[in-house]
Amino acid sequence: MSEITSNGEKHLVLATGRAHPKLAEAIAAELDTGLISTTSHTFANGELYVRFNGSVRGSDVFVIQSHSTPINEWLMEQLIMVDALKRASAKRITVVAPFYPYARQDKKHRGREPISARLVADLFKAAGADRIMSVDLHAPQIQGFFDGPVDHLFAMPVLMEHIRKTFDLEQLTVVSPDMGRVRVADVWSDKLGTPLAIIHKRRDPLVPNQVSVHEIVGDVKGRWCLLVDDLIDTGRTIVAASEALKNAGAKGVIVAATHAVFSDPAYDILQSDFIDSVVVTDTLPIPDEKRFPSLTVLPIAPLLARAIHEVFDDGSVTSMFDGDA
Ligand code: R5P
């Protein structure tokens, strides 16, 4: 991508928190620019400190942070980065949160629960963010939680290109691992020209991270099943779905997911015999010790860089996905 750091009227600044500097560096490389030098540290009592070592006055600043573990610390770091930028007279501040923190708490399932995804949006606003950029929000309505523009990007084109190149589409059936993913899985099956199957998953609201499969709707016998999901956390959703698919006669199971959260015991259980291949993007850092032979990690930096380019240049983010989602 060509150099766009200044277009005469505006000056682009890329800033990164400490969660996933490799992603920020890859975005900067795509944009043929660098990251602003930043001093960050954690005090003995856990409080965070950030200072930018250069002027941001009048700049269009993109604050890149991945919300991996420790998620609350990285959220707070991004908030105080935004606060520092606001107080240093940045002209516009975009929070780039490829994996939106607390996205799964997007509604009240029961009385006396919070809507934490809304709270996060309010915190970004209160800190001084003008806009948010994120990839594959767990629920699209999160866009409405933030009082300002939200650029909602889709990893589907990145994941789909790999699937098309690697697997025989004639043998593929797209599978939604739960009712919440049906709409997205339907788009996948439409684009790939494959049949669709749906898994009815059950969770006990009182037991976090436990999953059971109730039934499979659709024909999966003798098929290669492509499970599509927004995120893999503990891996239990995907493994339970894969086991049910193999028990129902599926020939193989491929998993395509955007966000590799990979909390324990994901690393161990994703290597189960029920799963043949796992494809994710690097919206979150995946350390070497969490990578396994059947895992493919696709770079998300080109997509984010292009979106940043479009926003900075007053172009169109929507046009990046025309006909995609
Ligand atoms: C659920 O609605 C999500 O889309 C994911 O399927 C789920 O959060 C993954 O969690 P885990 O890997 O812990 O089952």
Side-chain angles (χ1 to χ4, degrees):
M1 210 171 285
S2 60
E3 156 90 75
I4 58 148
T5 48
S6 192
N7 68 6
E9 296 158 18
K10 292 192 279 185
H11 183 61
L12 174 75
V13 171
L14 297 182
T16 183
R18 288 177 289 168
H20 194 1
K22 272 191 183 159
L23 176 62
E25 283 157 17
I27 294 170
E30 288 283 329
L31 292 168
D32 205 8
T33 187
L35 297 162
I36 186 168
S37 160
T38 310
T39 300
S40 322
H41 53 253
T42 305
F43 290 106
N45 71 347
E47 288 176 7
L48 307 178
Y49 171 86
V50 173
R51 178 175 185 265
F52 296 103
N53 302 318
S55 173
V56 294
R57 188 178 298 279
S59 298
D60 194 359
V61 190
F62 293 80
V63 188
I64 304 160
Q65 179 80 305
S66 276
H67 296 281
S68 51
T69 309
I71 196 162
N72 296 321
E73 193 163 331
W74 297 148
L75 173 59
M76 187 63 191
E77 186 178 73
Q78 197 171 27
L79 289 167
I80 64 174
M81 289 172 83
V82 171
D83 184 73
L85 291 164
K86 195 81 192 165
R87 294 175 192 284
S89 304
K91 192 171 184 181
R92 181 169 68 173
I93 302 165
T94 302
V95 159
V96 181
F99 172 68
Y100 188 97
Y102 288 88
R104 280 176 287 179
Q105 296 185 37
D106 63 316
K107 60 173 93 64
K108 285 177 72 167
H109 294 276
R110 295 182 300 152
R112 301 189 297 281
E113 285 183 342
I115 303 180
S116 308
R118 166 68 200 241
L119 175 63
V120 167
D122 288 345
L123 289 170
F124 283 137
K125 189 75 191 173
D130 296 295
R131 57 193 302 140
I132 294 178
M133 179 178 290
S134 192
V135 183
D136 285 338
L137 289 165
H138 179 65
Q141 64 266 24
I142 290 171
Q143 291 169 91
F145 292 176
F146 183 73
D147 183 15
V150 175
D151 299 300
H152 186 193
L153 314 182
F154 305 100
M156 186 187 285
V158 178
L159 294 164
M160 198 175 277
E161 190 191 350
H162 175 82
I163 298 293
R164 280 186 197 280
K165 277 196 309 212
T166 318
F167 301 101
D168 177 6
L169 299 188
E170 290 289 316
Q171 298 195 48
L172 223 56
T173 292
V174 171
V175 183
S176 174
D178 55 35
M179 301 311 281
R181 285 296 112 194
V182 174
R183 198 192 71 81
V184 175
D186 190 37
V187 178
W188 272 86
S189 86
D190 197 41
K191 292 201 159 297
L192 293 176
T194 65
L196 175 69
I198 297 162
I199 287 179
H200 183 189
K201 170 178 97 174
R202 284 218 167 134
R203 276 192 197 272
D204 181 341
L206 300 177
V207 189
N209 301 125
Q210 294 300 332
V211 172
S212 68
V213 167
H214 186 52
E215 66 179 311
I216 300 170
V217 182
D219 194 8
V220 297
K221 199 168 173 6
R223 305 287 296 168
W224 274 82
C225 291
L226 172 63
L227 276 165
V228 291
D229 211 347
D230 59 331
L231 66 101
I232 302 174
D233 189 353
T234 62
R236 290 199 171 103
T237 296
I238 285 304
V239 173
S242 304
E243 181 176 1
L245 291 168
K246 285 266 170 92
N247 288 341
K251 210 187 245 178
V253 174
I254 305 150
V255 179
T258 306
H259 308 295
V261 181
F262 287 3
S263 308
D264 283 342
Y267 172 80
D268 293 318
I269 65 177
L270 288 172
Q271 297 183 72
S272 98
D273 291 341
F274 303 122
I275 302 177
D276 298 275
S277 180
V278 180
V279 187
V280 295
T281 78
D282 60 356
T283 55
L284 292 162
I286 309 173
D288 286 347
E289 61 274 17
K290 289 202 173 174
R291 295 182 184 229
F292 45 92
S294 58
L295 177 72
T296 301
V297 181
L298 304 174
I300 202 70
L303 185 89
L304 286 163
R306 188 165 161 217
I308 289 171
H309 187 294
E310 294 295 338
V311 171
F312 176 71
D313 232 13
D314 296 330
S316 168
V317 171
T318 302
S319 67
M320 292 170 54
F321 304 100
D322 275 347
D324 265 329

